[in-house]
């Protein structure tokens, strides 16, 4: 027996009523989003409120609220029932009494999308489809692929080509046929729609039935907080389906008399993808031509459910907030440091929003707030690693451990996460200023010797190309200097001069200090860097007699820091097999190369004289 007559579909914009036999995606008149509208009086009679109040949250507990026929076995991966984490440490840091994080990353594929896929894929099966097509920024694809695999449906997936690899790996492993599109999410969605029409595939995605599954998050929140009201719920918004679905769940419980207050909803968007705007008191949905954010899961330039989000914000006197990528990555770290919740950047935007609204006094310290952490951090580790340096690599030697632990490296790195592009110096500072700023930004006290070295490097940066010093630049300088701390400056570059004309090969004149004595030399090479290094190598060959060569040489323009900074990584290989990797940073590629070379040689000498020590090391080295 089919009992599909307890609901109908209705367009949110033009109010046209329709049925799932006609469309499972958008309104056939105006392409607006559809709602599933229930006969709530009938539903109320049917409800087992005792069960709702006493059994633990679980998707299957809400079967009466789903638009699914009950004459068949349902496909489920045990989605939902995620924990509501009480964030005591973070609450303290942000200055709020009660903060909860709804940990949606605990769903089977690592994001809340599974709640929606549960209803959607069961619906596709019920309607007799054999194949499903979906456009996605990654998580939807992973989830729809998983449920399709379980249901035995073929699954076609369209994603923008910059989709995080971990999410693609998931979809592919669930056996989906994945196609990457050179374009935005919007382009992918268009193609998915056309494909569904042409081939008669079920169009999965942020359409009418998805919200019906995702609203269970709203029921769960109400149940997990039976004993107290939630004042605010903060949700990241891409297509807007999740926020409006959570709101729908709460609204239904309110309508059923199960809760007596509706929380106020907060929508968070990425700063560079803020399609929904509030302009002089009026909300509107705009099209974002080129969304550009590390929050891939909310990078949707045309939110289909924008009008539903606006409805929820209006009905609850909600708020709309944006979060920049920098703010988001900082909060992602703060959340994992303080609560051991490693979430996707998109999910971390909720903490940015919370902090902003607390500072503005919109959210009060005594109110109760829930942030919906929509997905797990392991989905996109590359985004996180952008703000974290590679950990130091050392030899298995306790002295090496001491060097790292007693050095200031960890402190530099901990502080380096924040405000990487903040301009620190735009003119050559005095030594006193350097000392003060380093203390303030990196909480370390420079020794007199290191202060001289750091100040010298800063001067080089600014004088060389008249560039400013961003925080990331200062971090590299500090790391370089501190990394050298334990080694005597056996080789030091004092001065160099390059002659580079069209007529002949470049020549370099260099002045170095080697083991306390000053030497001058000239060299020639295919390029200026080569010439300068050849000049130094002559001195080394003559006075040190160490046989080595440059095994690898790599130039990288770091993504953060002032624009003209280059980072050179050099691998020096000594005859007996010792190998070192060191880096040099400067706005000038020649200076950066010389710094890397000098650092490399000092390390090589150190190893040469301490043969029990390492074969290769390099505290601050980046991946080649
Ligand atoms: C899909 C997704 C969002 C955005 O949800 P919408 O329903 O598109 O607004 C946010 N965070 C994560 C982790 C997601 O996967
Ligand atoms: Zn319509």
């Amino acid at each position: 027996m089919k009992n599909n007559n307890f609901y109908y579909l209705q367009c949110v914009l033009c109010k046209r009523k329709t049925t799932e036999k006609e469309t499972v995606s958008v309104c056939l008149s105006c392409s607006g989003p559809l709602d599933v509208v229930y006969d709530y009086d009938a539903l109320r009679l049917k409800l087992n409120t005792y069960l709702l109040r006493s059994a633990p949250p679980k998707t299957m507990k809400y079967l009466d609220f789903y638009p699914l026929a009950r004459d068949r076995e349902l496909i489920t991966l045990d989605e939902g029932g995620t924990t509501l984490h009480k964030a005591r440490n973070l609450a303290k840091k942000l200055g709020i009494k009660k903060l909860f994080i709804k940990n949606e990353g605990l769903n089977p594929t690592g994001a809340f999308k599974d709640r929606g896929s549960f209803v959607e894929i069961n619906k596709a099966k019920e309607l007799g489809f054999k194949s499903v097509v979906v456009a996605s920024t990654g998580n939807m694809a992973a989830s729809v692929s998983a449920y399709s695999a379980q249901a035995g449906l073929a699954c076609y997936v369209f994603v923008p080509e910059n989709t995080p690899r971990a999410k693609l790996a998931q979809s592919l492993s669930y056996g989906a046929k994945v196609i990457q599109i050179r374009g935005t999410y919007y382009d992918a969605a268009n193609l998915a729609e056309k494909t569904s029409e042409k081939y008669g595939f079920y169009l999965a995605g942020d359409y009418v039935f998805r919200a019906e599954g995702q609203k269970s998050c709203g029921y769960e929140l109400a149940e997990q907080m039976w004993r107290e009201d939630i004042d605010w719920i903060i949700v990241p918004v891409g297509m807007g389906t999740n926020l409006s679905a959570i709101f729908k769940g709460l609204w239904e419980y309110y309508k059923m008399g199960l809760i007596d207050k509706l929380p106020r909803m907060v929508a968070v968007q990425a700063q560079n993808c803020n399609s929904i705007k509030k302009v002089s008191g009026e909300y509107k949905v705009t099209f974002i031509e080129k969304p550009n954010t590390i929050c891939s899961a909310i990078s949707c330039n045309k939110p289909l459910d924008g009008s539903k989000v606006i409805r929820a914000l209006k009905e609850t006197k909600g708020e709309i907030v944006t979060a920049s990528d920098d703010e988001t990555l900082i909060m992602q770290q703060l959340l994992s440091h303080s609560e051991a919740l490693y979430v996707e950047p998109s999910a971390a935007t909720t903490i940015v929003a919370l902090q902003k609204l607390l500072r503005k006094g919109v959210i009060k310290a005594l109110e109760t707030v829930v942030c919906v952490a929509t997905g797990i951090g392991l989905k996109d580790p590359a985004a996180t690693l952008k703000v974290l340096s590679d950990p130091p690599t050392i030899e298995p030697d306790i002295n090496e451990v001491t060097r790292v632990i007693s050095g200031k490296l960890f402190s530099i790195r901990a502080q380096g996460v924040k405000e990487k592009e903040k301009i620190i110096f735009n003119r050559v500072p005095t030594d006193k200023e350097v000392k003060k700023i380093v203390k303030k930004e990196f909480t370390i006290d420079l020794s007199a010797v290191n202060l001289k070295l750091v100040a010298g490097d800063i001067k080089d940066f600014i004088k060389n190309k008249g560039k400013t010093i961003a925080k990331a630049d200062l971090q590299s300088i500090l790391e370089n200097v501190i990394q050298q701390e334990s080694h005597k400056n056996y080789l030091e570059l004092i001065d160099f001069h390059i002659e580079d004309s069209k007529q002949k090969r470049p020549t370099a004149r260099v002045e170095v200090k080697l083991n306390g004595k000053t030497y001058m030399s000239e060299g020639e090479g295919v390029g200026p860097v080569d010439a300068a290094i050849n000049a130094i190598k002559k001195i080394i060959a003559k006075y040190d007699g160490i046989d080595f060569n440059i095994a690898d040489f790599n130039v990288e323009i770091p993504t953060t820091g002032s624009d003209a900074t280059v980072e050179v990584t050099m691998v020096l290989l000594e005859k007996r097999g010792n190998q070192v990797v060191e880096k040099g940073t400067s706005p000038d590629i020649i200076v950066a190369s010389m710094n890397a070379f000098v650092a490399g040689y000092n390390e090589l000498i150190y190893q040469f004289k301490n043969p029990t020590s390492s074969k290769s090391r390099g505290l601050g080295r980046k991946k080649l």
Side-chain angles (χ1 to χ4, degrees), residues 11-16 27-32 34:
C11 174
V12 174
L13 302 180
C14 77
K15 307 292 174 206
R16 170 177 160 166
C27 172
L28 295 175
S29 305
C30 75
S31 300
L34 300 172

Side-chain angles (χ1 to χ4, degrees), residues 111-113 139 206 236-242 297-298 344 346 374-375:
F112 69 84
K113 299 288 196 297
N139 285 342
D206 284 301
V237 164
M239 289 289 265
T241 312
N242 195 36
I298 52 172
E344 256 196 65
S346 295
T374 43

Side-chain angles (χ1 to χ4, degrees), residues 354-371:
L354 171 59
Q355 187 176 50
K356 285 187 173 175
L357 293 173
L358 275 168
R359 283 186 177 158
K360 274 169 72 180
V362 176
I363 294 181
K364 308 278 190 305
L366 292 179
E367 289 181 312
T368 300
V369 176
V370 172
C371 288

Side-chain angles (χ1 to χ4, degrees), residues 36 44 112 173 281 305 353 363 401 522:
V36 179
R44 193 177 289 114
F112 69 84
S173 300
D305 281 330
I363 294 181
V401 176
E522 280 189 19

Side-chain angles (χ1 to χ4, degrees), residues 110-113 137-140 167 185 206 210 214 235-244 296-300 303 305 309 344-347 372-376 379:
F112 69 84
K113 299 288 196 297
T137 57
N139 285 342
M140 176 88 77
K167 300 182 184 181
Y185 169 76
D206 284 301
R210 173 155 296 272
Q214 288 172 191
V235 189
V237 164
M239 289 289 265
T241 312
N242 195 36
L243 184 143
S244 42
S296 58
I298 52 172
S299 181
C300 303
D305 281 330
V309 170
E344 256 196 65
S346 295
V372 180
T374 43
I376 192 172
K379 292 261 201 173

Side-chain angles (χ1 to χ4, degrees), residues 542-560:
K542 191 161 171 192
Y543 299 101
D544 265 2
I546 289 180
D547 204 350
F548 72 100
N549 57 42
I550 298 173
D552 200 0
F553 175 89
N554 217 289
V555 180
E556 200 180 317
I557 315 276
T559 47
T560 49

